[in-house]
Amino acid sequence: MAIQLFVPHFEVEECLGEIRECLEKGWTGLGFKTVEFETKWRDYSDLPHAHFLNSNTVGLHLALNILKKKHGWMDGDEVLTTPLTFVSTNHAILYERLKPVFADVDESLCLDPDSVLERITPNTKAVMFVGMGGNVGQYESIRNICRERGLKLILDAAHMTGTRFNGRHVGHDADVSVFSFQAVKNLGTGDSGMICFADGELDALARKMSWLGIDKDTYQRTSDKGTYKWKYDVIDAGFKYHGNSIMAAIGLVQLKQLDRYNSYRSRVAQWYREDLLGQRGIGFVPITEGCESSYHLFQVKVKNRDEVLEGLNQREIYPGVHYRDNTEYELYSYGAKTCPYAHSVSQELLSLPIHVNLTRKDINKVAGSLVELVSG
């Protein structure tokens, strides 16, 4: 049987029960389930604010849109970011007519503080930190730089649902954190996300801006007796970025299983280490001390990566690559050769299958095949 990179797991009957409630009530959009999910997420993460959206990508855009207006940033102002990420991270910066400035990564595949310091200019307004695979890297150093330099810290926590650092869930010390509940993420729905501002005023603004700039959403405008309050104001040209109750219904079930799922992913990662430790030609990505990673990814470094990947495919093992150096894309080619380690390591990275349906036997097969291909 083929071994896939990601296979989402759902508590099907329980999810269907939550969805059935939405259908029976006739309310599938923004409303009672999204409110409940936001509450449950705040309880789980201990973050002060949470607003449910239809993806992580729109959350990143919304964060930059609100921060830009709040602090008077100008078109062309700079956001320091990583070239080793999914392009949505950096597209979100462009959506607000800001400039992504690429800083290099360290061995954790997260931003290198020394490179960040080198790239700060008078036009730098924020840092976008991506927690690669669930790792925190040198996040604390980046946070301190932002505080010392008066820069806003945006945590792209797409991979970090359930990641804890020094005992606390990530996001509590960023200006804004954005999580992904996309189909194959650790807390998978169909597609959705959560934006978590530290500032309650900005959280309130995000709720309006994610519903086209309307000051009261339809759920707020519907009384308990069903009387629809049709009058509202429009404060700005906002976006249709809010989440819906169907996705939230799935999310409520998945959230209850998240720590159990992540614990199993951690076990899978440990099995890989047991099988691959000391094998020549296979390098690991170090996890920061004190980090309880979500293990959205388990990445190794190998030479001749593309040939190894092809060999694994021939054995019906389907790993992935996270990610291609963004400066290799035409859109971001202005940053080419500015981040040498990110460029080099992106040629070697291989993401091995990791999900809760894998068995110890599956890991033996993947690891054994990898060793044979690398050594052969």
Side-chain angles (χ1 to χ4, degrees):
M1 182 179 294
I3 300 176
Q4 304 291 343
L5 172 62
F6 297 132
V7 178
H9 181 81
F10 296 98
E11 304 296 324
V12 175
E13 294 305 318
E14 192 173 356
C15 286
L16 290 175
E18 291 283 349
I19 293 170
R20 179 181 294 276
E21 186 180 359
C22 298
L23 301 178
E24 290 176 343
K25 287 181 179 291
W27 198 288
T28 59
L30 184 154
F32 73 113
K33 287 294 182 188
T34 65
V35 172
E36 183 182 357
F37 188 36
E38 289 170 354
T39 300
K40 296 292 187 182
W41 176 254
R42 289 195 302 270
D43 291 344
Y44 172 82
S45 65
D46 200 30
L47 298 177
H49 307 289
H51 179 43
F52 188 55
L53 300 171
N54 60 50
S55 74
N56 167 273
T57 302
V58 303
L60 295 175
H61 177 218
L62 193 60
L64 288 158
N65 174 271
I66 288 172
L67 290 173
K68 184 182 181 186
K69 290 175 179 174
K70 173 72 174 180
H71 299 288
W73 300 349
M74 304 297 292
D75 288 358
D77 279 343
E78 299 169 355
V79 178
L80 294 179
T81 185
T82 172
L84 207 60
T85 185
F86 187 53
V87 292
S88 61
T89 303
N90 295 318
H91 283 7
I93 300 170
L94 293 181
Y95 295 159
E96 280 303 308
R97 300 175 300 282
L98 300 167
K99 181 180 180 180
V101 174
F102 296 104
D104 214 343
V105 300
D106 59 21
E107 290 188 348
S108 73
L109 308 181
C110 301
L111 282 175
D112 183 337
D114 291 336
S115 183
V116 167
L117 284 170
E118 291 172 359
R119 312 293 161 97
I120 294 173
T121 75
N123 294 325
T124 306
K125 304 301 180 185
V127 175
M128 183 83 80
F129 187 94
V130 175
M132 177 66 76
N135 199 2
V136 300
Q138 297 188 70
Y139 171 81
E140 282 190 314
S141 295
I142 299 295
R143 180 202 62 197
N144 292 340
I145 289 170
C146 289
R147 288 177 177 176
E148 293 164 2
R149 301 299 182 98
L151 305 175
K152 296 301 174 184
L153 177 56
I154 303 163
L155 179 61
D156 181 349
H159 295 178
M160 304 181 86
T161 303
T163 290
R164 292 175 174 84
F165 185 47
N166 293 331
R168 296 189 66 180
H169 196 282
V170 296
H172 62 89
D173 50 0
D175 291 286
V176 56
S177 304
V178 186
F179 297 86
S180 174
F181 308 138
Q182 184 263 350
V184 299
K185 293 299 193 296
N186 296 40
L187 194 162
T189 61
D191 200 0
S192 59
M194 195 79 78
I195 185 169
C196 303
F197 274 102
D199 186 326
E201 177 187 339
L202 299 187
D203 171 73
L205 182 56
R207 294 174 183 277
K208 297 177 176 66
M209 291 300 292
S210 68
W211 180 232
L212 298 166
I214 297 172
D215 67 344
K216 295 177 183 177
D217 63 57
T218 51
Y219 188 64
Q220 292 174 307
R221 288 186 275 123
T222 303
S223 73
D224 292 339
K225 295 181 179 180
T227 304
Y228 187 72
K229 312 296 187 190
W230 64 270
K231 284 190 176 181
Y232 55 80
D233 198 5
V234 181
I235 62 167
D236 203 342
F239 315 97
K240 198 170 189 301
Y241 283 175
H242 64 83
N244 67 64
S245 287
I246 299 295
M247 294 301 100
I250 298 172
L252 282 165
V253 177
Q254 297 294 87
L255 179 57
K256 289 190 288 186
Q257 305 297 331
L258 178 60
D259 284 344
R260 182 167 67 90
Y261 291 170
N262 282 355
S263 178
Y264 193 82
R265 298 171 84 99
S266 179
R267 184 183 302 177
V268 170
Q270 182 58 36
W271 287 338
Y272 275 130
R273 289 195 187 92
E274 290 172 3
D275 288 359
L276 298 174
L277 186 65
Q279 297 292 337
R280 293 182 60 183
I282 300 174
F284 293 114
V285 176
I287 301 295
T288 303
E289 184 177 354
C291 174
E292 300 171 49
S293 175
S294 64
Y295 281 107
H296 176 62
L297 299 174
F298 186 85
Q299 296 167 286
V300 294
K301 297 178 288 184
V302 296
K303 303 295 184 183
N304 302 316
R305 187 267 317 280
D306 293 350
E307 290 84 350
V308 170
L309 194 154
E310 177 62 27
L312 290 171
N313 287 174
Q314 291 174 2
R315 301 180 185 209
E316 295 190 301
I317 299 169
Y318 300 100
V321 173
H322 299 85
Y323 291 95
R324 185 180 180 188
D325 174 5
N326 282 194
T327 68
E328 293 184 14
Y329 299 128
E330 180 180 351
L331 182 63
Y332 298 112
S333 58
Y334 63 86
K337 300 182 180 180
T338 61
C339 301
Y341 184 73
H343 181 74
S344 173
V345 76
S346 72
Q347 314 300 313
E348 300 179 352
L349 287 173
L350 193 64
S351 297
L352 300 182
I354 185 165
H355 52 82
V356 299
N357 297 321
L358 291 168
T359 66
R360 186 65 174 96
K361 184 177 179 180
D362 293 328
I363 304 310
N364 288 340
K365 178 179 177 180
V366 174
S369 298
L370 180 62
V371 170
E372 288 179 19
L373 289 164
V374 170
S375 62

